[in-house]
């Protein structure tokens, strides 16, 4: 099967061409201001002859979409109705789909949702403790994101350990520009740190993650900030960026090495938040077979992995300093042999997972 994958983000378009589950071409277009134009470029430049299907990453699938879905007009309408829940993402995803349908009208198009993997989260985790009627009327619930990555990485972790994914409990830590943690029991998501939007949970490059919601009221009432300004503050000027001025972990690590106090504090706030989710999900899962780091920070930043799991020996969680610090790439164990839980690094590959899920749906 030959599958084109399109991942249209707010500022970039990632694409990949796959033949029978193997990557044959791909690329990243950055600083995109016109997603439609970027998708046109991809379709003009890539070898799109004899495509069996196109897999699109769609960020928000609401409560409805729990599996990859063949796109028709009705599905497009449903994704459009979800725009208020993902105002930065769903519109660009929709743009990409519309251009691909126009340019390659005979090719089946499949939506793979970031939220889908989390539809197995039970109500005790999915519900916010607010008036249930208000919540229901307004679709207020914990949807979760990065699902394609958590699904792929948790399955690869089980395979790395030589185990059946259905029998393994994993805490996956996707630490990229956006960051989220997920508790995976036997291959199914049972809790995740992002909620209604990708703002909740871990400290991120420029997003705050968890804060007291009263901060919003306070900034509005007392500081006179508009909701737009607070939205911008929490999404664009918070996280590492807010704490020390740099949103890129490479820069934070470099400054911390030089003794920069703000960078060190930003690092500590970031890693302690990760540690708190690991502890929480450990308690929730009861038995944890593996803890796995992925995405730009998780795959590359050894100091973040070490600090996030420091002093957890009483829980059996140990990071081997030499393994963690080695220049090795690819899927690997960074805990001592035989340690339980295992600590792993597994590079994520969302485009490959989208290609495989698309091919699987089309093969049915
Ligand atoms: P996205 O969430 O946009 O897919 P990535 O998963 O590629 O992003 O993560 C990007 C982030 O990863 C960068 O902003 C940077 O902070 C971090 N990163 C990338 N390489 C390194 C590295 N070698 N060391 C530390 N952090 C890194």
């Amino acid at each position: 099967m030959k599958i084109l994958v399109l991942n249209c983000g707010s500022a970039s378009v990632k694409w990949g061409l796959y033949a029978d589950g193997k990557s044959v071409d791909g690329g990243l277009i950055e600083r995109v201001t016109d997603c439609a134009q970027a998708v046109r470029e991809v379709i003009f430049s890539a070898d799109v002859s004899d495509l069996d299907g196109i897999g699109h990453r769609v960020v928000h699938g609401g409560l409805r979409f729990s599996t990859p879905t063949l796109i028709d007009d009705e599905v497009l309408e449903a994704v459009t109705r979800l725009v208020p829940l993902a105002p930065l993402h769903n519109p660009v995803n929709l743009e990409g789909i519309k251009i691909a349908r126009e340019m390659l009208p005979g090719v089946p198009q499949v939506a793979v949702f970031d939220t889908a993997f989390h539809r197995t989260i039970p109500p005790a985790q999915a519900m916010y403790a607010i008036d249930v009627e208000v919540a229901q009327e307004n679709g207020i619930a914990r949807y979760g994101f990065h699902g394609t990555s958590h699904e792929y990485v948790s399955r690869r972790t089980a395979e790395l350990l030589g185990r059946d994914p259905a029998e393994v409990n994993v805490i996956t830590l996707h630490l990229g520009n956006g960051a989220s943690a997920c508790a995976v029991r036997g291959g199914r998501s049972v809790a995740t740190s992002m909620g209604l939007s990708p703002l909740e949970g871990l400290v991120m490059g420029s997003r705050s993650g968890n804060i007291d919601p009263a901060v919003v009221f306070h900034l509005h009432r007392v500081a006179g900030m508009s909701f737009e300004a607070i939205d911008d503050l929490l999404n664009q000027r918070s996280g590492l960026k807010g704490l020390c001025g740099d949103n890129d972990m490479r820069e934070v690590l470099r400054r911390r090495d030089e003794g920069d106090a703000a960078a060190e504090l930003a690092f500590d706030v970031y890693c302690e938040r990760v540690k708190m989710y690991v502890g929480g999900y450990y308690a929730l899962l009861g038995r944890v077979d593996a803890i796995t780091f992925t995405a730009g920070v998780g795959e590359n930043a050894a100091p973040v992995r070490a600090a996030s799991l420091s002093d957890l020996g009483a829980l059996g969680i140990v990071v081997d300093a030499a393994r963690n610090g080695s220049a090795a790439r690819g899927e690997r164990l960074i805990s001592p042999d035989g340690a339980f839980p295992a600590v792993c690094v597994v590079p994520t590959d969302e485009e490959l997972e989208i290609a495989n899920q698309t091919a699987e749906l089309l093969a049915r």
Side-chain angles (χ1 to χ4, degrees), residues 7 12 14 57 146 174-179 205 207 240 247-253 270 294-304 329 348 350:
N7 178 350
S12 68
K14 276 187 208 163
R57 176 191 185 211
H146 289 144
H174 178 112
L175 311 179
N177 281 315
R207 288 175 237 163
L240 295 174
N247 66 321
D248 192 313
M249 185 58 86
R250 282 166 288 208
E251 208 42 33
V252 176
L253 293 177
Y270 185 102
T294 194
V297 176
E299 291 165 29
N300 297 300
V304 171
R329 287 282 163 273
T348 193
E350 287 163 288

Side-chain angles (χ1 to χ4, degrees), residues 208-219 234 273:
S208 62
N210 290 344
I211 55 161
D212 181 342
V215 169
V216 177
F217 316 139
H218 184 89
L219 290 174
L234 298 180
R273 187 78 56 85

Side-chain angles (χ1 to χ4, degrees), residues 204-361:
M204 309 180 211
S206 67
R207 288 175 237 163
S208 62
N210 290 344
I211 55 161
D212 181 342
V215 169
V216 177
F217 316 139
H218 184 89
L219 290 174
H220 180 63
R221 290 192 196 120
V222 180
M225 285 175 74
S226 67
F227 289 119
E228 284 70 28
I230 300 170
D231 189 323
D232 179 67
L233 174 80
L234 298 180
N235 276 296
Q236 310 292 341
R237 295 189 286 128
S238 296
L240 295 174
K241 170 111 180 145
L243 287 165
C244 75
D246 271 310
N247 66 321
D248 192 313
M249 185 58 86
R250 282 166 288 208
E251 208 42 33
V252 176
L253 293 177
R254 193 190 56 73
R255 286 172 50 191
R256 176 175 171 264
D257 279 346
E258 291 172 353
D260 180 312
E264 177 160 11
L265 180 61
F267 175 89
D268 290 346
V269 175
Y270 185 102
C271 295
E272 283 208 10
R273 187 78 56 85
V274 175
K275 184 186 276 192
M276 287 173 67
Y277 271 95
V278 169
Y281 288 170
Y282 192 112
L284 200 66
L285 288 167
R287 189 201 81 226
V288 178
D289 298 282
I291 299 166
T292 300
F293 289 91
T294 194
V297 176
E299 291 165 29
N300 297 300
V304 171
R305 296 191 297 256
S308 300
L309 300 183
S310 64
D311 303 318
L312 296 178
L315 296 178
I317 301 169
V318 180
V319 173
D320 180 275
R323 285 183 177 178
N324 187 41
S326 98
R329 287 282 163 273
E331 298 178 354
R332 59 200 187 272
L333 199 68
I334 58 165
S335 49
D337 287 336
F340 184 82
V343 183
C344 310
V345 177
V346 172
T348 193
D349 195 337
E350 287 163 288
E351 284 72 31
L352 172 65
E353 181 68 14
I354 292 170
N356 288 340
Q357 292 194 11
T358 299
E360 208 177 291
L361 174 70

